[in-house]
Amino acid sequence: MRIHAVQSGLVTIKNCQCHGKGRGTMRLVNTILDRTWTEPLPIYSWAIEHPEGIILVDTGETARAMEPGYFPWWNPYFQMSIKPCVQPEDEVGFRLRALGIEPNDVRKVILTHLHTDHIGGLHHFPNAEIILSRREIELTDGWRGQLRGYLTHRLPEWLSPRLIDYEPKPIGPFPESFTLTKAGDVFLIPTEGHTGGHLSVLVQTDGLSFFFAGDASYTLQLLLDQIVDGVAQDEETSRETLKRILQYVQEFPTVYLPSHDHGAAQRLAERTIVSV
Ligand SMILES: [Zn+2]
């Protein structure tokens, strides 16, 4: 099974977004007020050439995020804490073509969660089945959803996603999962906390687990250090998720692939497993 890292540009965020500081709403306030920035971080999606059809995990950011007014003016987080750098040719559709994959040939698009830098490329896939957790879409409802930072008005009008309810089938420390493929080698697992309906994608092949973690942790190091990020919707759940993922990678040889980790593409290419 060939798996590709697909980078759609870069994003610079506050250091306190990576290493959350304080408790409760103070975590978000501290992130917004932090004056120090990370280096530009990659925005990764992942294309899995599965025998049952191409699966894409997340869709990266759109170049439109560079336009004034793309982010809501009233939201201090977007105005003060996020700087995307995405050119039109960085969008996932173009990057896939460069890899020899036609966006129209993508069968399934799985969204780890609905933050803008994971859904920005959705417009390239009007013919794919779009899959996400039911809980995640419920959280986007109304003004509360907007306060949580979801840009639902940026979702394509044609979007009619398949919403996943997990089954009581444990995988390692995860009590629930959803089996996506007939071959039984691609699973969705709840990794909530960063957002309330966040999921990760697990591919088990060749004796390895490929763990597409979305923003469950921004990097491998933050997983190893068990650091909750500075914008997590639920700090305690996020901590529990980090604990479970760490337990999983200790139990199974795992290539760990978060969306904003500089080292992730190389770990994928070299099939480097987490050593703990
Ligand atoms: Zn996110």
Side-chain angles (χ1 to χ4, degrees):
M1 205 182 308
R2 291 182 71 196
I3 305 174
H4 309 270
V6 188
Q7 186 179 346
S8 63
L10 296 160
V11 64
T12 307
I13 56 176
K14 299 288 185 67
N15 282 316
C16 274
Q17 182 162 342
C18 290
H19 289 74
K21 203 172 108 189
R23 303 202 67 101
T25 38
M26 278 316 289
R27 300 175 74 74
L28 184 58
V29 173
N30 285 332
T31 296
I32 292 168
L33 297 181
D34 186 4
R35 293 184 173 193
T36 64
W37 296 84
T38 64
E39 57 184 335
L41 307 174
I43 304 171
Y44 282 123
S45 308
W46 311 94
I48 302 161
E49 294 194 46
H50 192 276
E52 294 172 32
I54 296 167
I55 300 169
L56 185 70
V57 181
D58 286 330
T59 67
E61 186 55 284
T62 169
R64 288 194 60 204
M66 306 279 287
E67 295 171 5
Y70 185 80
F71 295 115
W73 60 268
W74 51 265
N75 185 316
Y77 168 71
F78 286 118
Q79 295 309 319
M80 295 168 67
S81 307
I82 184 165
K83 290 183 196 163
C85 179
V86 184
Q87 305 305 321
E89 63 273 17
D90 292 332
E91 288 196 7
V92 65
F94 300 97
R95 301 318 308 155
L96 283 175
R97 279 200 191 97
L99 291 166
I101 296 172
E102 265 307 306
N104 259 336
D105 291 340
V106 172
R107 182 79 60 84
K108 297 178 197 297
V109 174
I110 305 165
L111 300 173
T112 58
H113 62 305
L114 291 174
H115 280 162
T116 169
D117 55 329
H118 298 256
I119 63 169
L122 266 177
H123 58 281
H124 293 282
F125 308 99
N127 300 317
E129 181 180 40
I130 314 291
I131 299 164
L132 69 145
S133 87
R134 184 179 303 279
R135 171 109 175 101
E136 182 71 0
I137 204 138
E138 284 172 357
L139 286 166
T140 65
D141 264 357
W143 61 269
R144 280 176 202 274
Q146 295 206 14
L147 283 179
R148 290 185 184 107
Y150 294 112
L151 305 183
T152 28
H153 60 296
R154 301 294 183 196
L155 289 167
E157 275 178 21
W158 49 259
L159 185 68
S160 172
R162 175 178 169 196
L163 301 176
I164 294 303
D165 296 307
Y166 299 104
E167 297 153 357
K169 286 191 208 162
I171 299 186
F174 298 95
E176 299 180 309
S177 66
F178 182 87
T179 309
L180 189 70
T181 52
K182 292 194 185 81
D185 50 4
V186 181
F187 307 91
L188 311 183
I189 46 176
T191 49
E192 292 157 1
H194 175 73
T195 64
H198 189 287
L199 62 78
S200 292
V201 181
L202 190 59
V203 177
Q204 294 179 335
T205 182
D206 303 333
L208 288 175
S209 292
F210 293 85
F211 199 116
F212 302 94
D215 290 353
S217 75
Y218 290 128
T219 65
L220 168 60
Q221 194 57 51
L222 289 164
L223 169 73
L224 297 175
D225 296 342
Q226 298 281 283
I227 303 286
V228 175
D229 72 61
V231 295
Q233 286 177 7
D234 186 329
E235 188 186 339
E236 286 317 309
T237 308
S238 190
R239 209 174 295 286
E240 184 59 35
T241 285
L242 291 174
K243 214 190 290 176
R244 281 189 182 142
I245 300 175
L246 191 61
Q247 235 173 300
Y248 185 91
V249 304
Q250 285 168 332
E251 212 172 314
F252 304 94
T254 301
V255 182
Y256 185 66
L257 302 165
S259 301
H260 302 292
D261 184 335
H262 277 294
Q266 193 177 349
R267 290 201 299 274
L268 172 63
E270 296 174 357
R271 299 193 160 203
T272 310
I273 60 167
V274 183
S275 55
V276 240

